Every structure is written in C-alpha cells, then in structure tokens.
Amino acid sequence: QVQLVESGGGLVQSGGSLRLSCAASGRTFSSYFMGWFRQAPGKEREFVSAISWNGGSTDYTDSVKGRFTISRDNAKNTVYLQMNSLKPEDTAVYYCAAPSRYYNNLPQRVGQYYYWGQGTQVTVSS
C-alpha cells in the first residue's frame, strides 16, 4: 500500500507562485514514476505533469509548460511541483498520484495511476 499526502496549496494572486509537495510512504518510492493532476469545479481531472523515477524525464501539459516545474527528492520520498506565473485558470484541487506498475513512457491518463493523495486546493485570484 502507498500513502500520498499533498501540501503547499493556498490562495495566491495572479502572477504569484506556490510550491506543492507530495510525501510518499509505503513502498520503494524511488522505483516509480510520479504524477500531478488537477481538477477544477465541474471539470474532469486532468494531467498536469509527470516525472520518471530518477527525475531524468519529465512531461507537462501544454498549458503549464514554462511555468511549472516538477522535481523529486528520492532521499525524502517527496515529489514537488513548483508553480510560477500562476493564472486564475490554474485554480483547482491538485493531486499527486503514483502508478501501480511500470510504463515505457511517462503516463498521462488518470486510469494509469492507482494511488492518489487527498488533494490540496490552489486558488489564484485575478
């Protein structure tokens, strides 16, 4: 079993920054990809970013490229999402997630992830 706990959300003005953290426990964290998703009210959960086991490969949805940076510290069993130049449309609950198995490419679909955190709210005011 894997437990994921997100933190770092909050209220920020447009153009501001936040750093989300996701602490993992329960299995060998360093062996697997990790991902960040978000869900705005009335919308489906969507992929934001993913990172390979060693941080050597990363992926982002187009709307956050150049603004968000995913990273991980395997010694701390933690994955981060640095969010800069935030926009009101980034407002959502952000979830970190981990798949239950290996994929050849960084997974982007909700169904490819098995373990989920409880989410942390990010609100960007205009």
Side-chain angles (χ1 to χ4, degrees), residues 18-20 36 48-51 58-60 64-72 79-84:
L18 284 173
R19 188 176 83 154
L20 305 183
W36 284 97
V48 176
S49 184
I51 189 167
T58 59
D59 195 13
Y60 301 90
V64 308
K65 285 180 180 177
R67 300 189 298 123
F68 291 11
T69 302
I70 190 171
S71 61
R72 66 191 297 163
V79 62
Y80 305 97
L81 187 67
Q82 177 67 44
M83 305 186 297
N84 298 329

Side-chain angles (χ1 to χ4, degrees), residues 45-61:
R45 192 168 297 188
E46 65 171 356
F47 171 78
V48 176
S49 184
I51 189 167
S52 60
W53 69 274
N54 64 353
S57 294
T58 59
D59 195 13
Y60 301 90
T61 191

